[in-house]
Amino acid sequence: MRFEQLGFGADAVDYETAWQEQRRVHAARFADEIPDTCLLLEHPPVYTAGRRTDDSERPLDGTPVIDVDRGGKITWHGPGQLVGYPIQKLPRPVDVVAHVRRLEEAIIRTCAEFGVETTRVEGRSGVWVLGDPVADRPDLGGLSLDFDPRTADEEFDPRLNGPEYAPSNAGQRREDRKLAAIGIRVAKGVTMHGFAINVNPDNTSFDKIVPCGIRDAGVTSLAGELGREITIADVLPVVQKHLRDVLENAVLLPRAV
């Protein structure tokens, strides 16, 4: 696995520019002109929507959203978030789920190295910090969580009902909260798109949307969970180490049919 660091901080890479670079690297990998390659970078603030995004999950104020060809739903990228695009050739028929599990494993190991325990949540891709049992969480708006409107009312929109429902406040509510999102596409047997690890972003940017289409959980970051400053420069070598270990040592098998 070869790594390319495209730009961070003042050199953060515009999303459309990075998307074009992904397509270039993807074509070269498909033609076996280059080895498996992972692009690592930071984006200026941007919302991107995967193919399954509902209109009701987009920003209510008309903030622009870039529609992309990956799986998953809407998310935010921006300063303080480490984005990785592993472009890897897989055996056919492609096992997309296995690829996602490998990315999750590398991120879980990375978080563990910084002392943050993360895990998977069944039915929800990405890497999560688990919240307290429902019975132990603080009530929202003075109501019992047994009657949480986010899960009991299909028309309830947390964005219109105050900061107590904001995704960025999930840690205060002691709910499950996503630390890293994953959304991929496989074309011609080669992967595109990838993962975004919240290192130290302003997570209130997620409050304008329904992140990943999930209304009853929230988002977090490594800095937020640790209660101290941590930078992308701190995380870069660690995530590269674990991506290389997981992706290079995995036995790639075609999907069982």
PDB file of all heavy atoms in Angstrom, residues 107-139:
ATOM      1  N   ILE A 107      -9.129   1.748  11.704  1.00  0.00           N
ATOM      2  CA  ILE A 107      -9.464   2.950  12.474  1.00  0.00           C
ATOM      3  C   ILE A 107      -9.659   2.613  13.947  1.00  0.00           C
ATOM      4  O   ILE A 107      -9.235   3.367  14.834  1.00  0.00           O
ATOM      5  CB  ILE A 107     -10.705   3.627  11.884  1.00  0.00           C
ATOM      6  CG1 ILE A 107     -10.415   4.083  10.447  1.00  0.00           C
ATOM      7  CG2 ILE A 107     -11.128   4.820  12.743  1.00  0.00           C
ATOM      8  CD1 ILE A 107     -11.645   4.528   9.675  1.00  0.00           C
ATOM      9  N   ILE A 108     -10.288   1.485  14.240  1.00  0.00           N
ATOM     10  CA  ILE A 108     -10.459   1.057  15.632  1.00  0.00           C
ATOM     11  C   ILE A 108      -9.095   0.893  16.301  1.00  0.00           C
ATOM     12  O   ILE A 108      -8.881   1.328  17.443  1.00  0.00           O
ATOM     13  CB  ILE A 108     -11.271  -0.256  15.690  1.00  0.00           C
ATOM     14  CG1 ILE A 108     -12.742   0.020  15.346  1.00  0.00           C
ATOM     15  CG2 ILE A 108     -11.160  -0.917  17.065  1.00  0.00           C
ATOM     16  CD1 ILE A 108     -13.577  -1.223  15.138  1.00  0.00           C
ATOM     17  N   ARG A 109      -8.159   0.289  15.605  1.00  0.00           N
ATOM     18  CA  ARG A 109      -6.805   0.131  16.151  1.00  0.00           C
ATOM     19  C   ARG A 109      -6.131   1.487  16.362  1.00  0.00           C
ATOM     20  O   ARG A 109      -5.405   1.698  17.349  1.00  0.00           O
ATOM     21  CB  ARG A 109      -5.957  -0.734  15.215  1.00  0.00           C
ATOM     22  CG  ARG A 109      -6.417  -2.175  15.104  1.00  0.00           C
ATOM     23  CD  ARG A 109      -5.443  -2.954  14.227  1.00  0.00           C
ATOM     24  NE  ARG A 109      -5.926  -4.297  13.910  1.00  0.00           N
ATOM     25  CZ  ARG A 109      -5.241  -5.193  13.202  1.00  0.00           C
ATOM     26  NH1 ARG A 109      -4.023  -4.878  12.752  1.00  0.00           N
ATOM     27  NH2 ARG A 109      -5.740  -6.384  12.953  1.00  0.00           N
ATOM     28  N   THR A 110      -6.342   2.409  15.431  1.00  0.00           N
ATOM     29  CA  THR A 110      -5.763   3.745  15.558  1.00  0.00           C
ATOM     30  C   THR A 110      -6.294   4.447  16.793  1.00  0.00           C
ATOM     31  O   THR A 110      -5.527   5.011  17.589  1.00  0.00           O
ATOM     32  CB  THR A 110      -6.086   4.580  14.302  1.00  0.00           C
ATOM     33  OG1 THR A 110      -5.498   3.958  13.152  1.00  0.00           O
ATOM     34  CG2 THR A 110      -5.565   5.997  14.435  1.00  0.00           C
ATOM     35  N   CYS A 111      -7.601   4.410  16.982  1.00  0.00           N
ATOM     36  CA  CYS A 111      -8.201   5.050  18.152  1.00  0.00           C
ATOM     37  C   CYS A 111      -7.689   4.424  19.446  1.00  0.00           C
ATOM     38  O   CYS A 111      -7.423   5.134  20.436  1.00  0.00           O
ATOM     39  CB  CYS A 111      -9.724   4.943  18.079  1.00  0.00           C
ATOM     40  SG  CYS A 111     -10.471   5.873  16.713  1.00  0.00           S
ATOM     41  N   ALA A 112      -7.555   3.103  19.446  1.00  0.00           N
ATOM     42  CA  ALA A 112      -7.077   2.410  20.644  1.00  0.00           C
ATOM     43  C   ALA A 112      -5.672   2.868  21.021  1.00  0.00           C
ATOM     44  O   ALA A 112      -5.341   2.978  22.215  1.00  0.00           O
ATOM     45  CB  ALA A 112      -7.105   0.902  20.420  1.00  0.00           C
ATOM     46  N   GLU A 113      -4.862   3.161  20.026  1.00  0.00           N
ATOM     47  CA  GLU A 113      -3.496   3.604  20.314  1.00  0.00           C
ATOM     48  C   GLU A 113      -3.482   4.950  21.035  1.00  0.00           C
ATOM     49  O   GLU A 113      -2.529   5.268  21.754  1.00  0.00           O
ATOM     50  CB  GLU A 113      -2.679   3.661  19.021  1.00  0.00           C
ATOM     51  CG  GLU A 113      -1.208   3.804  19.259  1.00  0.00           C
ATOM     52  CD  GLU A 113      -0.348   3.219  18.148  1.00  0.00           C
ATOM     53  OE1 GLU A 113      -0.769   2.239  17.482  1.00  0.00           O
ATOM     54  OE2 GLU A 113       0.761   3.741  17.963  1.00  0.00           O
ATOM     55  N   PHE A 114      -4.547   5.729  20.854  1.00  0.00           N
ATOM     56  CA  PHE A 114      -4.655   7.015  21.553  1.00  0.00           C
ATOM     57  C   PHE A 114      -5.484   6.910  22.832  1.00  0.00           C
ATOM     58  O   PHE A 114      -5.745   7.912  23.492  1.00  0.00           O
ATOM     59  CB  PHE A 114      -5.262   8.069  20.624  1.00  0.00           C
ATOM     60  CG  PHE A 114      -4.321   8.512  19.537  1.00  0.00           C
ATOM     61  CD1 PHE A 114      -4.404   7.958  18.265  1.00  0.00           C
ATOM     62  CD2 PHE A 114      -3.340   9.451  19.791  1.00  0.00           C
ATOM     63  CE1 PHE A 114      -3.528   8.342  17.271  1.00  0.00           C
ATOM     64  CE2 PHE A 114      -2.464   9.850  18.798  1.00  0.00           C
ATOM     65  CZ  PHE A 114      -2.552   9.293  17.527  1.00  0.00           C
ATOM     66  N   GLY A 115      -5.902   5.687  23.171  1.00  0.00           N
ATOM     67  CA  GLY A 115      -6.635   5.484  24.409  1.00  0.00           C
ATOM     68  C   GLY A 115      -8.133   5.676  24.303  1.00  0.00           C
ATOM     69  O   GLY A 115      -8.803   5.843  25.325  1.00  0.00           O
ATOM     70  N   VAL A 116      -8.676   5.648  23.089  1.00  0.00           N
ATOM     71  CA  VAL A 116     -10.116   5.793  22.893  1.00  0.00           C
ATOM     72  C   VAL A 116     -10.677   4.451  22.429  1.00  0.00           C
ATOM     73  O   VAL A 116     -10.271   3.918  21.390  1.00  0.00           O
ATOM     74  CB  VAL A 116     -10.443   6.879  21.854  1.00  0.00           C
ATOM     75  CG1 VAL A 116     -11.953   6.948  21.599  1.00  0.00           C
ATOM     76  CG2 VAL A 116      -9.921   8.232  22.326  1.00  0.00           C
ATOM     77  N   GLU A 117     -11.612   3.911  23.200  1.00  0.00           N
ATOM     78  CA  GLU A 117     -12.221   2.629  22.855  1.00  0.00           C
ATOM     79  C   GLU A 117     -13.372   2.861  21.883  1.00  0.00           C
ATOM     80  O   GLU A 117     -14.322   3.580  22.192  1.00  0.00           O
ATOM     81  CB  GLU A 117     -12.739   1.921  24.105  1.00  0.00           C
ATOM     82  CG  GLU A 117     -13.333   0.550  23.824  1.00  0.00           C
ATOM     83  CD  GLU A 117     -13.822  -0.156  25.070  1.00  0.00           C
ATOM     84  OE1 GLU A 117     -13.606   0.386  26.184  1.00  0.00           O
ATOM     85  OE2 GLU A 117     -14.438  -1.229  24.935  1.00  0.00           O
ATOM     86  N   THR A 118     -13.276   2.244  20.724  1.00  0.00           N
ATOM     87  CA  THR A 118     -14.316   2.364  19.705  1.00  0.00           C
ATOM     88  C   THR A 118     -14.738   0.983  19.252  1.00  0.00           C
ATOM     89  O   THR A 118     -14.086  -0.026  19.549  1.00  0.00           O
ATOM     90  CB  THR A 118     -13.827   3.182  18.495  1.00  0.00           C
ATOM     91  OG1 THR A 118     -12.637   2.557  17.956  1.00  0.00           O
ATOM     92  CG2 THR A 118     -13.516   4.610  18.883  1.00  0.00           C
ATOM     93  N   THR A 119     -15.814   0.931  18.493  1.00  0.00           N
ATOM     94  CA  THR A 119     -16.332  -0.353  18.055  1.00  0.00           C
ATOM     95  C   THR A 119     -17.204  -0.159  16.821  1.00  0.00           C
ATOM     96  O   THR A 119     -17.375   0.961  16.327  1.00  0.00           O
ATOM     97  CB  THR A 119     -17.142  -1.020  19.187  1.00  0.00           C
ATOM     98  OG1 THR A 119     -17.490  -2.346  18.806  1.00  0.00           O
ATOM     99  CG2 THR A 119     -18.424  -0.238  19.476  1.00  0.00           C
ATOM    100  N   ARG A 120     -17.755  -1.252  16.329  1.00  0.00           N
ATOM    101  CA  ARG A 120     -18.752  -1.213  15.268  1.00  0.00           C
ATOM    102  C   ARG A 120     -20.136  -1.244  15.897  1.00  0.00           C
ATOM    103  O   ARG A 120     -20.307  -1.725  17.014  1.00  0.00           O
ATOM    104  CB  ARG A 120     -18.594  -2.409  14.333  1.00  0.00           C
ATOM    105  CG  ARG A 120     -17.246  -2.505  13.641  1.00  0.00           C
ATOM    106  CD  ARG A 120     -17.136  -3.797  12.844  1.00  0.00           C
ATOM    107  NE  ARG A 120     -15.875  -3.887  12.116  1.00  0.00           N
ATOM    108  CZ  ARG A 120     -14.754  -4.385  12.612  1.00  0.00           C
ATOM    109  NH1 ARG A 120     -14.752  -4.865  13.865  1.00  0.00           N
ATOM    110  NH2 ARG A 120     -13.646  -4.439  11.882  1.00  0.00           N
ATOM    111  N   VAL A 121     -21.118  -0.745  15.166  1.00  0.00           N
ATOM    112  CA  VAL A 121     -22.523  -0.836  15.560  1.00  0.00           C
ATOM    113  C   VAL A 121     -23.250  -1.556  14.441  1.00  0.00           C
ATOM    114  O   VAL A 121     -23.170  -1.139  13.282  1.00  0.00           O
ATOM    115  CB  VAL A 121     -23.144   0.556  15.802  1.00  0.00           C
ATOM    116  CG1 VAL A 121     -24.646   0.443  16.011  1.00  0.00           C
ATOM    117  CG2 VAL A 121     -22.488   1.224  17.011  1.00  0.00           C
ATOM    118  N   GLU A 122     -23.911  -2.638  14.788  1.00  0.00           N
ATOM    119  CA  GLU A 122     -24.579  -3.453  13.777  1.00  0.00           C
ATOM    120  C   GLU A 122     -25.559  -2.618  12.967  1.00  0.00           C
ATOM    121  O   GLU A 122     -26.377  -1.870  13.516  1.00  0.00           O
ATOM    122  CB  GLU A 122     -25.319  -4.618  14.432  1.00  0.00           C
ATOM    123  CG  GLU A 122     -25.908  -5.600  13.427  1.00  0.00           C
ATOM    124  CD  GLU A 122     -26.521  -6.822  14.091  1.00  0.00           C
ATOM    125  OE1 GLU A 122     -26.407  -6.943  15.326  1.00  0.00           O
ATOM    126  OE2 GLU A 122     -27.114  -7.633  13.370  1.00  0.00           O
ATOM    127  N   GLY A 123     -25.461  -2.737  11.647  1.00  0.00           N
ATOM    128  CA  GLY A 123     -26.355  -2.023  10.757  1.00  0.00           C
ATOM    129  C   GLY A 123     -25.942  -0.591  10.473  1.00  0.00           C
ATOM    130  O   GLY A 123     -26.608   0.098   9.691  1.00  0.00           O
ATOM    131  N   ARG A 124     -24.853  -0.131  11.090  1.00  0.00           N
ATOM    132  CA  ARG A 124     -24.395   1.237  10.892  1.00  0.00           C
ATOM    133  C   ARG A 124     -22.894   1.217  10.623  1.00  0.00           C
ATOM    134  O   ARG A 124     -22.113   0.868  11.505  1.00  0.00           O
ATOM    135  CB  ARG A 124     -24.705   2.102  12.119  1.00  0.00           C
ATOM    136  CG  ARG A 124     -26.192   2.279  12.352  1.00  0.00           C
ATOM    137  CD  ARG A 124     -26.513   3.107  13.577  1.00  0.00           C
ATOM    138  NE  ARG A 124     -27.925   3.450  13.596  1.00  0.00           N
ATOM    139  CZ  ARG A 124     -28.524   4.159  14.548  1.00  0.00           C
ATOM    140  NH1 ARG A 124     -27.807   4.595  15.583  1.00  0.00           N
ATOM    141  NH2 ARG A 124     -29.816   4.433  14.478  1.00  0.00           N
ATOM    142  N   SER A 125     -22.490   1.563   9.411  1.00  0.00           N
ATOM    143  CA  SER A 125     -21.071   1.537   9.078  1.00  0.00           C
ATOM    144  C   SER A 125     -20.331   2.618   9.852  1.00  0.00           C
ATOM    145  O   SER A 125     -20.923   3.515  10.451  1.00  0.00           O
ATOM    146  CB  SER A 125     -20.877   1.744   7.575  1.00  0.00           C
ATOM    147  OG  SER A 125     -21.271   3.054   7.200  1.00  0.00           O
ATOM    148  N   GLY A 126     -19.024   2.521   9.837  1.00  0.00           N
ATOM    149  CA  GLY A 126     -18.201   3.492  10.533  1.00  0.00           C
ATOM    150  C   GLY A 126     -17.701   2.976  11.864  1.00  0.00           C
ATOM    151  O   GLY A 126     -17.863   1.808  12.215  1.00  0.00           O
ATOM    152  N   VAL A 127     -17.069   3.867  12.611  1.00  0.00           N
ATOM    153  CA  VAL A 127     -16.463   3.532  13.905  1.00  0.00           C
ATOM    154  C   VAL A 127     -17.114   4.404  14.968  1.00  0.00           C
ATOM    155  O   VAL A 127     -17.217   5.627  14.814  1.00  0.00           O
ATOM    156  CB  VAL A 127     -14.943   3.747  13.843  1.00  0.00           C
ATOM    157  CG1 VAL A 127     -14.322   3.605  15.224  1.00  0.00           C
ATOM    158  CG2 VAL A 127     -14.309   2.769  12.857  1.00  0.00           C
ATOM    159  N   TRP A 128     -17.535   3.765  16.065  1.00  0.00           N
ATOM    160  CA  TRP A 128     -18.392   4.398  17.044  1.00  0.00           C
ATOM    161  C   TRP A 128     -17.819   4.340  18.452  1.00  0.00           C
ATOM    162  O   TRP A 128     -17.133   3.372  18.811  1.00  0.00           O
ATOM    163  CB  TRP A 128     -19.751   3.691  17.070  1.00  0.00           C
ATOM    164  CG  TRP A 128     -20.549   3.856  15.814  1.00  0.00           C
ATOM    165  CD1 TRP A 128     -20.374   3.184  14.636  1.00  0.00           C
ATOM    166  CD2 TRP A 128     -21.638   4.751  15.610  1.00  0.00           C
ATOM    167  NE1 TRP A 128     -21.297   3.614  13.711  1.00  0.00           N
ATOM    168  CE2 TRP A 128     -22.076   4.562  14.285  1.00  0.00           C
ATOM    169  CE3 TRP A 128     -22.293   5.674  16.426  1.00  0.00           C
ATOM    170  CZ2 TRP A 128     -23.145   5.291  13.752  1.00  0.00           C
ATOM    171  CZ3 TRP A 128     -23.352   6.396  15.905  1.00  0.00           C
ATOM    172  CH2 TRP A 128     -23.770   6.200  14.582  1.00  0.00           C
ATOM    173  N   VAL A 129     -18.140   5.359  19.248  1.00  0.00           N
ATOM    174  CA  VAL A 129     -17.988   5.314  20.695  1.00  0.00           C
ATOM    175  C   VAL A 129     -19.370   5.015  21.259  1.00  0.00           C
ATOM    176  O   VAL A 129     -20.336   5.734  20.968  1.00  0.00           O
ATOM    177  CB  VAL A 129     -17.475   6.651  21.260  1.00  0.00           C
ATOM    178  CG1 VAL A 129     -17.432   6.606  22.785  1.00  0.00           C
ATOM    179  CG2 VAL A 129     -16.099   6.981  20.693  1.00  0.00           C
ATOM    180  N   LEU A 130     -19.473   3.934  22.022  1.00  0.00           N
ATOM    181  CA  LEU A 130     -20.780   3.545  22.542  1.00  0.00           C
ATOM    182  C   LEU A 130     -21.188   4.433  23.715  1.00  0.00           C
ATOM    183  O   LEU A 130     -20.365   4.795  24.552  1.00  0.00           O
ATOM    184  CB  LEU A 130     -20.755   2.085  22.995  1.00  0.00           C
ATOM    185  CG  LEU A 130     -20.606   1.034  21.887  1.00  0.00           C
ATOM    186  CD1 LEU A 130     -20.681  -0.365  22.489  1.00  0.00           C
ATOM    187  CD2 LEU A 130     -21.657   1.201  20.799  1.00  0.00           C
ATOM    188  N   GLY A 131     -22.479   4.741  23.770  1.00  0.00           N
ATOM    189  CA  GLY A 131     -23.017   5.515  24.878  1.00  0.00           C
ATOM    190  C   GLY A 131     -23.412   4.632  26.044  1.00  0.00           C
ATOM    191  O   GLY A 131     -23.218   3.415  26.040  1.00  0.00           O
ATOM    192  N   ASP A 132     -23.981   5.267  27.041  1.00  0.00           N
ATOM    193  CA  ASP A 132     -24.481   4.538  28.207  1.00  0.00           C
ATOM    194  C   ASP A 132     -25.755   3.790  27.838  1.00  0.00           C
ATOM    195  O   ASP A 132     -26.433   4.124  26.861  1.00  0.00           O
ATOM    196  CB  ASP A 132     -24.796   5.512  29.341  1.00  0.00           C
ATOM    197  CG  ASP A 132     -23.548   6.170  29.905  1.00  0.00           C
ATOM    198  OD1 ASP A 132     -22.437   5.711  29.570  1.00  0.00           O
ATOM    199  OD2 ASP A 132     -23.697   7.150  30.663  1.00  0.00           O
ATOM    200  N   PRO A 133     -26.130   2.773  28.622  1.00  0.00           N
ATOM    201  CA  PRO A 133     -27.453   2.164  28.422  1.00  0.00           C
ATOM    202  C   PRO A 133     -28.536   3.229  28.480  1.00  0.00           C
ATOM    203  O   PRO A 133     -28.415   4.215  29.215  1.00  0.00           O
ATOM    204  CB  PRO A 133     -27.554   1.181  29.597  1.00  0.00           C
ATOM    205  CG  PRO A 133     -26.136   0.879  29.969  1.00  0.00           C
ATOM    206  CD  PRO A 133     -25.365   2.143  29.711  1.00  0.00           C
ATOM    207  N   VAL A 134     -29.594   3.031  27.728  1.00  0.00           N
ATOM    208  CA  VAL A 134     -30.652   4.042  27.628  1.00  0.00           C
ATOM    209  C   VAL A 134     -31.166   4.456  29.002  1.00  0.00           C
ATOM    210  O   VAL A 134     -31.392   5.640  29.273  1.00  0.00           O
ATOM    211  CB  VAL A 134     -31.807   3.510  26.744  1.00  0.00           C
ATOM    212  CG1 VAL A 134     -32.995   4.456  26.796  1.00  0.00           C
ATOM    213  CG2 VAL A 134     -31.330   3.337  25.305  1.00  0.00           C
ATOM    214  N   ALA A 135     -31.331   3.506  29.898  1.00  0.00           N
ATOM    215  CA  ALA A 135     -31.885   3.809  31.214  1.00  0.00           C
ATOM    216  C   ALA A 135     -30.983   4.729  32.035  1.00  0.00           C
ATOM    217  O   ALA A 135     -31.451   5.404  32.963  1.00  0.00           O
ATOM    218  CB  ALA A 135     -32.135   2.516  31.986  1.00  0.00           C
ATOM    219  N   ASP A 136     -29.684   4.790  31.703  1.00  0.00           N
ATOM    220  CA  ASP A 136     -28.744   5.593  32.476  1.00  0.00           C
ATOM    221  C   ASP A 136     -28.487   6.967  31.867  1.00  0.00           C
ATOM    222  O   ASP A 136     -27.741   7.765  32.442  1.00  0.00           O
ATOM    223  CB  ASP A 136     -27.410   4.860  32.600  1.00  0.00           C
ATOM    224  CG  ASP A 136     -27.531   3.552  33.370  1.00  0.00           C
ATOM    225  OD1 ASP A 136     -28.494   3.439  34.152  1.00  0.00           O
ATOM    226  OD2 ASP A 136     -26.677   2.670  33.183  1.00  0.00           O
ATOM    227  N   ARG A 137     -29.077   7.262  30.698  1.00  0.00           N
ATOM    228  CA  ARG A 137     -28.826   8.532  30.042  1.00  0.00           C
ATOM    229  C   ARG A 137     -29.729   9.622  30.612  1.00  0.00           C
ATOM    230  O   ARG A 137     -30.830   9.337  31.081  1.00  0.00           O
ATOM    231  CB  ARG A 137     -29.081   8.415  28.531  1.00  0.00           C
ATOM    232  CG  ARG A 137     -28.174   7.418  27.841  1.00  0.00           C
ATOM    233  CD  ARG A 137     -28.532   7.311  26.374  1.00  0.00           C
ATOM    234  NE  ARG A 137     -27.881   6.161  25.756  1.00  0.00           N
ATOM    235  CZ  ARG A 137     -28.144   5.718  24.526  1.00  0.00           C
ATOM    236  NH1 ARG A 137     -29.056   6.332  23.792  1.00  0.00           N
ATOM    237  NH2 ARG A 137     -27.517   4.665  24.059  1.00  0.00           N
ATOM    238  N   PRO A 138     -29.281  10.881  30.531  1.00  0.00           N
ATOM    239  CA  PRO A 138     -30.148  11.977  30.984  1.00  0.00           C
ATOM    240  C   PRO A 138     -31.352  12.115  30.069  1.00  0.00           C
ATOM    241  O   PRO A 138     -31.266  11.858  28.866  1.00  0.00           O
ATOM    242  CB  PRO A 138     -29.231  13.211  30.886  1.00  0.00           C
ATOM    243  CG  PRO A 138     -28.198  12.835  29.884  1.00  0.00           C
ATOM    244  CD  PRO A 138     -27.968  11.359  30.047  1.00  0.00           C
ATOM    245  N   ASP A 139     -32.487  12.510  30.628  1.00  0.00           N
ATOM    246  CA  ASP A 139     -33.684  12.700  29.819  1.00  0.00           C
ATOM    247  C   ASP A 139     -33.531  13.936  28.934  1.00  0.00           C
ATOM    248  O   ASP A 139     -32.856  14.901  29.280  1.00  0.00           O
ATOM    249  CB  ASP A 139     -34.917  12.881  30.714  1.00  0.00           C
ATOM    250  CG  ASP A 139     -35.254  11.603  31.470  1.00  0.00           C
ATOM    251  OD1 ASP A 139     -34.771  10.539  31.047  1.00  0.00           O
ATOM    252  OD2 ASP A 139     -35.979  11.682  32.491  1.00  0.00           O
TER     253      ASP A 139
END
